[in-house]
Amino acid sequence: MSHAPAKPLPEGVQRVAQVLRDKGHPHAPKMLDDAARTAQQAADALGISLGQIAKSIIFKRKPDAAAVLVITSGDRRVDEKKVQALVCADGQKLGRADAEFVKASTGFSIGGVSPVGHVLPPVTLIDRDLLRFEEIWAAAGHPHGVFKLHPENLVQLTGAPIADVTEQGGT
């Protein structure tokens, strides 16, 4: 029985893997058999709770068009007003980012946005609700790519602050 040669990792996953290696992170990206474009799909594929998925949500800060990355627990919804208060000066607004903006500013497609390895450094916030878990998983630059980490690793890997960024009452 012959085995097909291993396929090279997608470019985005390679970029994330390099950042993880450079920062001494102990867990390399893992490729799932099925796409995990949503937090629920990722949780199901990994056999973990929805909250253990560190989902990366990108907003667009106006008027400077800066990407704002909010890394939040999969079972929470981001409160855009809280994020705006933390990352925008008086009078500035935060808006939704479309797929083209996400790809151009991060280098990743929606459904595979990693907390690390962005082509342009985003303004980043980490959801304090992720600290409920000992182990979490994040996208690794591709809808099939994920990597394991502890919530505290997000601070080490991104240099971002932990903040209250979710709606009250969770999902």
Side-chain angles (χ1 to χ4, degrees), residues 46-99:
L46 293 164
I48 60 174
S49 75
L50 180 59
Q52 287 178 271
I53 299 298
K55 62 183 178 181
S56 295
I57 309 295
I58 299 288
F59 294 93
K60 183 177 183 179
R61 186 170 63 190
K62 303 171 185 177
D64 67 355
V68 176
L69 168 63
V70 180
I71 308 164
T72 188
S73 184
D75 63 351
R76 300 292 193 248
R77 288 184 58 87
V78 173
D79 184 327
E80 199 171 320
K81 286 185 173 42
K82 286 181 180 180
V83 174
Q84 182 172 296
L86 292 167
V87 302
C88 294
D90 288 339
Q92 285 186 327
K93 297 288 184 195
L94 197 64
R96 297 279 174 175
D98 63 20

Side-chain angles (χ1 to χ4, degrees), residues 62-146:
K62 303 171 185 177
D64 67 355
V68 176
L69 168 63
V70 180
I71 308 164
T72 188
S73 184
D75 63 351
R76 300 292 193 248
R77 288 184 58 87
V78 173
D79 184 327
E80 199 171 320
K81 286 185 173 42
K82 286 181 180 180
V83 174
Q84 182 172 296
L86 292 167
V87 302
C88 294
D90 288 339
Q92 285 186 327
K93 297 288 184 195
L94 197 64
R96 297 279 174 175
D98 63 20
E100 184 178 327
F101 177 82
V102 171
K103 182 73 171 174
S105 62
T106 69
F108 306 122
S109 297
I110 292 175
V113 177
S114 175
V116 299
H118 294 239
V119 293
L120 300 171
V123 175
T124 305
L125 297 172
I126 300 168
D127 173 14
R128 70 177 182 193
D129 287 338
L130 282 166
L131 300 176
R132 299 175 286 159
F133 301 101
E134 177 64 25
E135 176 184 286
I136 59 175
W137 288 77
H142 185 275
H144 289 254
V146 294

